Amino acid sequence: METTISLEEILALGNIPENLQGSFLRIANGLHQKAEYPKEKVLRMFAEMLASPKKFAYSKNKVTNLAKEIFDLEKKGMKVELSEEGKTYLPAESPVYEMEEKEKQKTVAFDLRTSPLPYQIYGAEYIEEGALKQMETALSLPVAVAGALMPDAHQGYGLPIGGVLATTNNTVIPFAVEVDIACRMCLSIFDIPGDFFKRQPHLLKRALVENTKFGMGGETAHKFDESVMDKAEWTATKIIRDLKDKAYRQLGTSGTGNHFVEWGIVEVFSADDLLAVPKGEYLALLSHSGSRGFGGAVANHYSKVAMKKTKLPKEAAHLAWLDMNTEEGQEYWIAMNLAGDYASANHHEIHKKIAKMLGEQPIKMVENHHNFAWKENLADGTEVIVHRKGATPANRNDLGIIPGSMTDPGFIVRGKGISESLNSASHGAGRLMSRTKALNSITNSALKKVLEEKGVQLIGGDLDEAPMVYKNIETVIASQTDLVEILAKFSPKIVRMADANRKEGRED
């Protein structure tokens, strides 16, 4: 390896100010000699930073401090321009997403149907009246085609959590997808005996603490795989472009509320060709989170647009839709699907980092969205948009995960493709009480007692996610045996959640 990088080689990249040249030279040779970065890699990093100083200034990396100084100069109108030689170090430009030209959506008022369409309810005896009323309102929309209510259902905004709604094939309802677009589950099963957590609890706990970030301000410096940020869709609209830097900083992080990353034991009941994991007990990692600030901002923006363009009676206001044949509908659909890809990448970042620390590769990964909209066909062939707000896709042979609580088991399921449920199942146990009620009625000692009884370690978390706020997961699962086949059970052992911060709000 060459021993030094010369100042001339650095200055060839661009018009670097004289007062910063010493810092560039020192950092370049520190990376080259001590960190053993090849010269090409150092010069490429400098070139990329000079091209996008804001991106590097707002994420922790080897040149953060330099990037902040370059960005400060840029804000003062003194941009450091890359030379033609400097530009040769930049990666090939990402493709630009070409939007179709569509008309703006017109503002139109609509009335509801005089009576709701019929729909199937699973576990009706466990569902609160408010959720049932919300579902009836949804099925009274003029664009509604079919619906179903899952046994974990409870009241939300617009469509109830646990609600599944099919609308005409050109309409999408932002509030029927939810604010946390593409909130999803991801499970990694390792070929490690289930009792590993008893032998190495400190390693597993450290893996969670060192490789997870929670909360609205959660960001990560080191990325395992940032290729999702190269997708052309990041150039599609102004709102997406404006959120890209934030999305990059939050890649590989989790939200608040009921979001978690946890170790547990998976018990596979019998051999299954789809799951393809032999019968037995295995160490497993389970995560629950979504598309972070990016998805939340997209949801809030387009929900307001929908409510402005689609005027509905007060009780149905949050069920306003966007026409996918218009500019606004097209923009939301692109952003929603990008949020889905981004949410998946978030989970993969966490799982890959933890797997690397463990020195293992999972033998199986199972994952699914449960806040999303899909283009699907009903049993009679009708093309629709199926909104699953807190519901797991359960098309025939879909693999999915239905979690319980921080102490109660979750289940790996195989969908049976039941048309009456719109090929769906519950997304969890479902809440019994609101966050406010939980915080006012559950004590720390009560939470500590149930954790000790179940043998679960909790890192972070708060009383509004205590196991007592959820329905009995076994009962919920029993209410949908027609919809899914149970393949395996996941029992949580070491749970990581956001630290208690009630001023911050909740993102689930």
Side-chain angles (χ1 to χ4, degrees), residues 181-202:
I181 299 173
C183 188
R184 63 190 276 115
M185 305 300 305
C186 185
L187 175 75
S188 288
I189 303 174
F190 295 92
D191 192 12
I192 297 174
D195 65 354
F196 183 83
F197 81 95
K198 293 180 180 178
R199 293 183 278 114
Q200 294 283 359
H202 299 298

Side-chain angles (χ1 to χ4, degrees), residues 22 26 103 114 162 216 231 241 265 346 375 377 395 408 421 440 443 445-446 456:
R26 176 178 53 80
E103 293 182 356
T114 54
M216 294 183 182
K231 293 181 70 68
R241 291 192 295 272
I265 297 173
N346 271 333
K375 293 181 179 180
N377 293 319
N395 293 282
D408 295 323
S421 73
N440 290 333
T443 63
S445 59
V456 173

Side-chain angles (χ1 to χ4, degrees), residues 104-124:
K104 291 274 190 180
Q105 184 168 330
K106 295 180 173 60
T107 301
V108 180
F110 294 88
D111 292 324
L112 300 180
R113 287 185 167 98
T114 54
S115 59
L117 296 175
Y119 66 100
Q120 188 70 36
I121 305 173
Y122 297 87

Side-chain angles (χ1 to χ4, degrees), residues 342-381:
Y342 175 75
S344 177
N346 271 333
H347 285 269
H348 289 187
E349 278 287 293
I350 296 166
H351 284 242
K352 287 176 180 177
K353 287 177 180 178
I354 292 177
K356 182 179 180 181
M357 184 171 175
L358 203 63
E360 296 283 344
Q361 290 296 320
I363 56 173
K364 184 70 177 182
M365 182 176 278
V366 181
E367 53 190 326
N368 63 268
H369 290 330
H370 51 223
N371 283 354
F372 212 65
W374 292 261
K375 293 181 179 180
E376 296 184 8
N377 293 319
L378 299 182
D380 64 3

